[in-house]
């Protein structure tokens, strides 16, 4: 039987991670997988996480099960972080999941149970795993225009035109902030237009929120999703704690379902818990507990926001420095958009052959679509990375 297993190509992003690890050339630069790195090129455990872990080690007396949907305290803490006061708590169902990807999967599962004929609209481009999970589940999806490669910004008119063609039964996936892979986000006025259009068509938004705090700040980054929650009757959210808490391998995630009424939220809550039971029963707890402790203890929370701000400033500083270095190397403003975008990623406009050449000839690693991870740069590597990019993209 197992000899009949079909072949599957490795994940493109994780494949770059492997190629980089195998490269023995000194001076290699990794702008591949979306993992934060500090100015020394490390992905450290956040100091506040170390503190929370030490306290947990002392305090925790049992590893007994909590609940299929995860700890209600974790739900409340994450709901507050993402949605603030945008919607009454009794209209929100919550599910702890293994990572943001687990939340994406459970949101799609719930959407399909609500509507077996659901169609998902993805921004073009989007994180590749959105489409690949939908394909695996056999859920129909289509793209909506999103990115304007000529400006490095939003194709605002195209996006709104395509979203206006959605309807009841459609699920529209939006990146809450720090769009992956483009770094191009809707501005507040754009979010208002998105909310208006979806209000008219009756399509339900699903927000993938993997980088809150990496763009302009915890509150600013959540403004778009909160506006949707205030304006529209329903919404799904897939939240990740991997990046903003640096808890990648602990798999901290949450699916949130904003429902039209408290009664519908109660039913959604039971359904979400059932989805966990069918997949893996109880969600991982260790990382979720650390996040809960950090968000609910005022001192830990202050330490966290301070640390997170420094991470954000490092990435935004790298954006400005790279844009400046590219301007000097290329003698043009064509890479200026990098400075104005937000989050970990930008598309530098390289085709797969140019990406391969930069990797093979110069040990500069990025994703095949020309996506770079800004956090992969350091003050030492920026000048060389800029020289390589400018030379290959002449
Ligand atoms: C990313 O690099 O886009 C985020 C990290 C990631 C990549 C592939 C699978 C899961 C997570």
């Amino acid at each position: 039987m197992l000899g009949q297993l079909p072949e599957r190509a490795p994940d493109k992003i994780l494949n770059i991670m492997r190629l980089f690890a195998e490269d023995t050339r000194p001076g290699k630069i990794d702008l591949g997988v979306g993992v934060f790195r500090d100015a020394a090129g490390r992905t450290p455990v956040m100091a506040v996480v170390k503190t929370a872990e030490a306290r947990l080690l002392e305090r925790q007396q049992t590893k007994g099960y909590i609940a299929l949907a995860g700890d209600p305290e974790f739900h409340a803490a994450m709901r507050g972080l993402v949605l603030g006061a945008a919607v009454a708590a009794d209209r929100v169902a919550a599910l702890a999941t293994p990572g943001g990807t687990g939340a994406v999967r459970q949101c799609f599962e719930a959407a399909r149970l609500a509507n077996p004929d659901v169609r998902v609209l993805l921004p073009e481009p989007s994180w590749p795993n959105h489409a690949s999970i939908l394909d695996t589940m056999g859920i129909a999806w289509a793209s909506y225009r999103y990115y304007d490669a000529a400006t490095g910004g939003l194709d605002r008119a195209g996006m709104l035109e395509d979203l206006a063609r959605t309807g009841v039964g459609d699920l529209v996936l939006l990146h809450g902030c720090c769009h992956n892979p483009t770094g191009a986000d809707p501005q507040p006025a754009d979010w208002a237009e998105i909310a208006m259009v979806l209000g008219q068509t009756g399509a339900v938004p699903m927000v993938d929120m993997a980088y809150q705090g990496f763009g302009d700040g915890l509150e600013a980054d959540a403004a778009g999703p909160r506006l949707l929650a205030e304006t529209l009757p329903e919404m799904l959210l897939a939240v990740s704690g991997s990046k903003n808490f640096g808890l990648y391998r602990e798999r901290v995630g949450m699916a949130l379902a904003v429902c039209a009424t408290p009664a519908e939220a109660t039913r959604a809550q039971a359904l979400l818990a059932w989805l966990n039971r069918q997949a893996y029963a109880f969600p991982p707890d260790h990382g979720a507990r650390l996040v809960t402790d950090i968000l609910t203890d005022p001192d830990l929370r202050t330490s966290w926001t301070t640390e997170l701000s420094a991470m954000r400033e490092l990435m935004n500083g790298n954006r400005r420095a790279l844009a400046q270095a590219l301007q000097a190397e290329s003698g043009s403003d064509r890479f200026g958009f990098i400075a104005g975008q937000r989050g970990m990623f930008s598309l530098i406009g390289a085709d797969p052959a140019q990406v391969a050449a930069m990797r093979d000839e110069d040990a500069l690693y990025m994703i095949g679509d020309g996506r770079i991870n800004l956090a992969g740069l350091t003050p030492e590597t920026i000048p060389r990375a800029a020289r390589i990019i400018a030379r290959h993209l002449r």
Side-chain angles (χ1 to χ4, degrees), residues 121-165:
L121 280 295
L122 299 177
E124 171 54 37
S126 195
W127 188 49
N129 285 326
H130 290 144
S132 110
I133 292 170
L134 290 167
D135 286 341
T136 302
M137 295 175 74
I139 293 178
W141 62 273
S143 291
Y144 64 87
R145 281 172 283 172
Y146 183 83
Y147 182 62
D148 181 356
T151 64
L154 220 56
D155 176 1
R156 190 170 292 101
M159 174 182 73
L160 293 171
E161 227 176 272
D162 289 350
L163 293 185
R165 281 199 282 267

Side-chain angles (χ1 to χ4, degrees), residues 88-239:
D90 63 2
R91 277 182 50 212
V92 186
L95 185 74
T97 57
T101 308
V104 166
R105 174 72 187 229
Q106 298 297 46
C107 283
F108 290 155
E109 295 280 3
R112 180 168 60 182
L113 283 166
N115 172 16
D117 298 319
V118 67
R119 180 182 68 142
V120 179
L121 280 295
L122 299 177
E124 171 54 37
S126 195
W127 188 49
N129 285 326
H130 290 144
S132 110
I133 292 170
L134 290 167
D135 286 341
T136 302
M137 295 175 74
I139 293 178
W141 62 273
S143 291
Y144 64 87
R145 281 172 283 172
Y146 183 83
Y147 182 62
D148 181 356
T151 64
L154 220 56
D155 176 1
R156 190 170 292 101
M159 174 182 73
L160 293 171
E161 227 176 272
D162 289 350
L163 293 185
R165 281 199 282 267
T166 62
V168 173
D170 286 339
L171 187 70
V172 174
L173 191 141
L174 296 145
H175 298 221
C177 64
C178 307
H179 184 270
N180 180 4
T182 69
D185 287 333
Q187 296 308 299
D190 305 322
W191 281 107
E193 297 243 36
I194 292 168
M196 202 179 70
V197 170
L198 298 186
Q200 283 163 357
T201 69
V204 173
M206 170 175 155
V207 171
D208 189 347
M209 193 69 163
Y211 300 94
Q212 189 181 354
F214 272 29
D216 288 309
L218 283 167
E219 299 301 307
D221 290 354
R226 287 177 188 178
L227 183 76
L228 297 182
E230 280 164 8
T231 317
L232 301 171
E234 298 184 337
M235 165 159 81
L236 290 170
L237 292 111
V239 187

Side-chain angles (χ1 to χ4, degrees), residues 11 13-14 32-35 101 127-129 180 211 243 248 251 344-345 367 371:
D11 179 280
I13 297 172
L14 303 180
V33 67
V35 170
T101 308
W127 188 49
N129 285 326
N180 180 4
Y211 300 94
K243 315 330 191 271
Y248 308 89
R251 312 310 294 136
M344 296 191 101
F345 309 116
I367 310 303
R371 187 193 83 170

Side-chain angles (χ1 to χ4, degrees), residues 45-46 48-56 59-60 71-82 96-97 99-100 212 218 239-254 284-305 308:
V45 180
M46 289 177 85
V48 70
V49 167
K50 281 282 189 198
T51 305
E53 272 185 322
R55 290 187 192 173
L56 182 61
R59 184 184 82 225
Q60 193 168 54
D71 189 338
E73 282 186 34
F74 177 49
H75 298 164
M78 285 290 259
R79 191 184 62 230
L81 178 68
V82 179
T97 57
Q212 189 181 354
L218 283 167
V239 187
S240 171
S242 295
K243 315 330 191 271
N244 51 6
F245 290 89
L247 283 166
Y248 308 89
R249 68 175 70 164
E250 299 293 355
R251 312 310 294 136
V252 182
M254 183 168 294
D285 176 75
H286 181 74
R289 191 147 304 280
L290 297 174
V291 165
T292 308
D293 290 349
I294 290 167
L295 291 177
T296 54
D297 179 299
D299 291 339
L300 291 183
R301 191 171 177 126
T302 303
S303 306
W304 174 61
T305 52
L308 182 59

